[in-house]
């Protein structure tokens, strides 16, 4: 089982539906001790937009992906929002 604070390649669907496991973006924010508003400010967006990313309601637009990678030191990247799928 993946530790809730781990932000390495977690399937977003599983992360959002399993109790005790949070979205990697939220795990990163919580580990940094940031509020939604503080984290959003770091990438130049709003608290509500950040919340939508964390809850899987929305995915960051490309211009924000680069900012997220930079702010998180590469720990949160596009794979978090666009997980690989098997072409079975």
């Amino acid at each position: 089982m993946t530790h809730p604070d781990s932000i390495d390649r977690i399937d977003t669907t599983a992360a959002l539906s399993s109790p005790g496991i949070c979205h990697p973006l939220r795990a990163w924010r919580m580990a940094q001790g940031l509020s939604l508003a503080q984290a959003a400010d770091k990438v130049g967006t709003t608290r509500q937009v950040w919340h939508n990313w964390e809850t899987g309601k929305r995915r960051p637009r490309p211009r924000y992906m680069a900012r997220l990678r930079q702010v998180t030191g590469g720990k949160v990247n596009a794979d978090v929002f666009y997980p690989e799928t098997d072409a079975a």
Side-chain angles (χ1 to χ4, degrees):
M1 177 175 211
T2 304
H3 187 276
D5 290 337
S6 174
I7 53 177
D8 295 333
R9 303 189 73 150
I10 297 173
D11 181 333
T12 307
T13 304
L16 295 176
S17 62
S18 300
I21 298 178
C22 63
H23 191 280
L25 187 59
R26 183 171 193 269
W28 175 85
R29 178 178 62 80
M30 299 300 289
Q32 302 303 309
L34 299 172
S35 69
L36 285 165
Q38 290 168 324
D41 189 53
K42 287 186 172 291
V43 296
T45 192
T46 65
R47 178 204 170 283
Q48 185 61 47
V49 169
W50 187 283
H51 178 264
N52 287 342
W53 294 342
E54 282 189 5
T55 59
K57 292 179 183 174
R58 299 275 187 246
R59 295 177 178 173
R61 292 184 178 166
R63 70 178 185 220
Y64 290 111
M65 284 309 311
R67 292 178 191 166
L68 283 171
R69 277 191 308 276
Q70 181 180 20
V71 166
T72 65
K75 293 181 179 177
V76 177
N77 58 43
D79 290 345
V80 169
F81 300 99
Y82 299 92
E84 294 179 32
T85 57
D86 293 334

